[in-house]
Amino acid sequence: MSARDKSSWEQTPGAPAGHFVSGLVYTDPDIYRDESDKIFSNAWRFACHASELPEANDYRVFDHDGQSLVAMRGEDDVIRTFLNVCSHRGAKLLDQPSGNAKHVTCFYHRWTYDNHGQCTGIPRASGYASDGVKKESMGLREVRTDVLHDLVFITLDGATPPLETFIGPALDRFSEMLSGQPLEVFHYNQAVLECNWKAWHETNMDLYHEFMHVVLRQTQVNAMPMEDRKLIVFEGGHGGSGGDLKAAYDGYEGFAGRGDDVPPLAGMSATDFRFINLFPSTAIISRGTVVRIDTVTPIGPDKALLEMRGLGVQGEPDGHRRVRQKHHNQYWGPFGRNVPEDMVAAESCADSFRHQAGRYQIIARDEKMAGQDDAILRAFYAEWGRRLGRDPGAPV
Ligand code: FES
Ligand SMILES: [Fe+2]
């Protein structure tokens, strides 16, 4: 067999169910709506790092499942999240991405709220005297919020099991790094990607594509035997590195000596590479001296908002911070040797699936949970299929 004709191109790949994904999962509008109803309306989602709300009354606005939300730190030090929507006629309350507000005043008719979400003032409230509208019953819609290792998560659904149940043991290998010293966000950037949200998450679950990155070809692929690179998957669609992968930075000009100039994070060595992908759309990735957190938010079937955070150690000397920023940006900054290449890959596949020229993604690599096994992708799509009641390989 050489090249394939139309009908053979459109046949399913000769791999077992669960080992390939139909291109329709990236484009079909019904599937996109289903993902909103059955994933994003009830899953726990990473919202921000607690260090982004250091003071009482600090807030951070973000979008989730098509809605604007705001996380706020109260004077009681508790972080709460609300729909960023006024109880009166629905105006958006806060239009800056972050700030500090002891009282939130709606610009439209000047109703006011405190950081517990209580409505504290209605101008000329006497006009509502006969119809029962009163500030005591006009609070904001609060959204369940929980904090684990300083990671702030929210869910829109009151019936979703607790965050600890949702995450299970998936973050256990990160607890020392995330909590062993206080971390803070020093880098934040956003990009709108012309691809489905899953296409980005796939780049963080797929080790096989490390051949694409010149820096990984020269520092990671040969840094340890493939069979020693252990991967792990968890119930709920999470998955990542089961043991640390190693990097040999001396193999790449400009990276040599990386880590000799700043202490690694707690529980890490400077040459460790550790990652976890949390279902549905968050990745936590550490390269020994620095951490990156990705969150991808669907905007439409073929558009997604990517938020990327870089974290270092709170209160560290300026010299250490500069080195950590360099380590972050070398890989993951907008001009780094890793993230821009992943963007090209995600958008390139999206181009093929948009008009169904591409039909399937093959996720069939089996290396016994090591090397470049596709097991993390399969675990993600098994959970996706379970929630949607669809086979990822034949979803419609
Ligand atoms: S819409 Fe907010 S006060 Fe009227
Ligand atoms: Fe990549």
Side-chain angles (χ1 to χ4, degrees):
M1 274 294 265
S2 52
R4 290 182 278 171
D5 64 12
K6 180 174 187 294
S7 72
S8 124
W9 176 250
E10 292 176 359
Q11 280 169 16
T12 55
H19 289 57
F20 59 90
V21 175
S22 164
L24 294 172
V25 309
Y26 310 106
T27 59
D28 185 90
D30 291 337
I31 291 177
Y32 181 76
R33 275 190 290 277
D34 237 15
E35 289 177 337
S36 168
D37 291 347
K38 296 172 180 171
I39 297 176
F40 291 100
S41 69
N42 58 49
W44 285 97
R45 170 236 155 94
F46 173 72
C48 65
H49 190 260
S51 67
E52 295 172 81
L53 305 168
E55 308 290 338
N57 307 313
D58 283 347
Y59 68 83
R60 190 87 173 83
V61 172
F62 60 100
D63 288 340
H64 174 64
D65 199 29
Q67 306 180 51
S68 178
L69 278 71
V70 57
M72 313 182 90
R73 187 183 289 276
E75 275 152 359
D76 55 0
D77 218 27
V78 175
I79 296 174
R80 298 176 178 83
T81 307
F82 309 99
L83 292 191
N84 186 18
V85 175
C86 180
S87 303
H88 179 217
R89 300 233 188 118
K92 203 164 160 177
L93 288 169
L94 292 155
D95 63 354
Q96 296 298 309
S98 62
N100 182 280
K102 185 163 187 180
H103 306 286
V104 177
T105 303
C106 180
F107 69 94
Y108 200 178
H109 310 88
R110 310 291 290 177
W111 285 29
T112 53
Y113 304 90
D114 67 15
N115 53 37
H116 289 242
Q118 298 176 103
C119 180
T120 51
I122 295 179
R124 304 197 60 243
S126 57
Y128 294 118
S130 60
D131 55 27
V133 174
K134 50 184 189 299
K135 65 182 182 183
E136 288 74 14
S137 55
M138 286 292 123
L140 300 179
R141 150 72 159 113
E142 185 165 1
V143 171
R144 277 175 77 195
T145 307
D146 204 350
V147 182
L148 183 62
H149 305 309
D150 278 345
L151 309 174
V152 181
F153 287 85
I154 63 97
T155 175
L156 296 172
D157 190 343
T160 294
L163 177 63
E164 284 78 5
T165 307
F166 183 83
I167 301 269
L171 275 180
D172 287 0
R173 296 194 66 250
F174 282 75
S175 57
E176 186 178 0
M177 184 213 312
L178 294 171
S179 301
Q181 72 278 282
L183 297 178
E184 68 179 354
V185 172
F186 64 65
H187 171 95
Y188 175 86
N189 78 303
Q190 293 187 344
V192 174
L193 303 174
E194 301 291 326
C195 65
N196 183 270
W197 64 276
K198 297 187 291 299
W200 183 261
H201 202 53
E202 286 173 8
T203 68
N204 285 326
M205 295 189 283
D206 163 30
L207 280 169
Y208 189 39
H209 85 277
E210 64 194 323
F211 293 125
M212 174 181 76
H213 300 292
V214 175
V215 64
L216 296 183
R217 287 206 298 272
Q218 297 190 2
T219 64
Q220 187 168 283
V221 171
N222 297 318
M224 65 190 295
M226 280 285 174
E227 59 271 24
D228 292 345
R229 298 172 16 155
K230 302 299 182 204
L231 308 181
I232 191 166
V233 297
F234 300 94
E235 209 174 305
H238 319 301
S241 49
D244 289 326
L245 280 70
K246 286 289 173 191
Y249 290 116
D250 288 352
Y252 194 74
E253 193 178 346
F255 283 45
R258 185 179 156 119
D260 296 344
D261 37 9
V262 69
L265 301 176
M268 300 287 286
S269 87
T271 54
D272 286 343
F273 172 46
R274 188 179 300 180
F275 66 97
I276 181 73
N277 297 279
L278 299 176
F279 189 90
S281 59
T282 298
I284 305 173
I285 305 165
S286 177
R287 285 197 171 274
T289 53
V290 66
V291 190
R292 157 183 156 207
I293 303 178
D294 281 11
T295 319
V296 62
T297 302
I299 299 176
D302 58 0
K303 201 176 279 263
L305 174 71
L306 170 63
E307 295 175 272
M308 311 186 84
R309 290 166 165 86
L311 293 92
V313 177
Q314 256 180 51
E316 64 186 338
D318 288 350
H320 286 180
R321 175 56 56 87
R322 278 196 295 277
V323 171
R324 252 183 255 285
Q325 287 170 324
K326 177 181 161 191
H327 288 179
H328 176 275
N329 291 342
Q330 280 177 329
Y331 262 102
W332 301 325
F335 303 99
R337 297 311 313 267
N338 186 273
V339 162
E341 296 165 356
D342 288 321
M343 290 174 174
V344 170
E347 293 189 343
S348 172
C349 297
D351 266 351
S352 299
F353 290 117
R354 190 167 291 122
H355 301 293
Q356 296 185 50
R359 289 288 169 149
Y360 295 100
Q361 298 240 43
I362 297 172
I363 52 171
R365 295 187 61 77
D366 177 3
E367 298 187 55
K368 310 289 177 251
M369 297 301 292
Q372 298 170 329
D373 199 314
D374 284 336
I376 303 171
L377 287 157
R378 288 193 292 274
F380 170 89
Y381 276 107
E383 177 65 12
W384 183 95
R386 188 188 69 75
R387 282 172 168 264
L388 267 62
R390 296 176 187 259
D391 174 357
V396 294

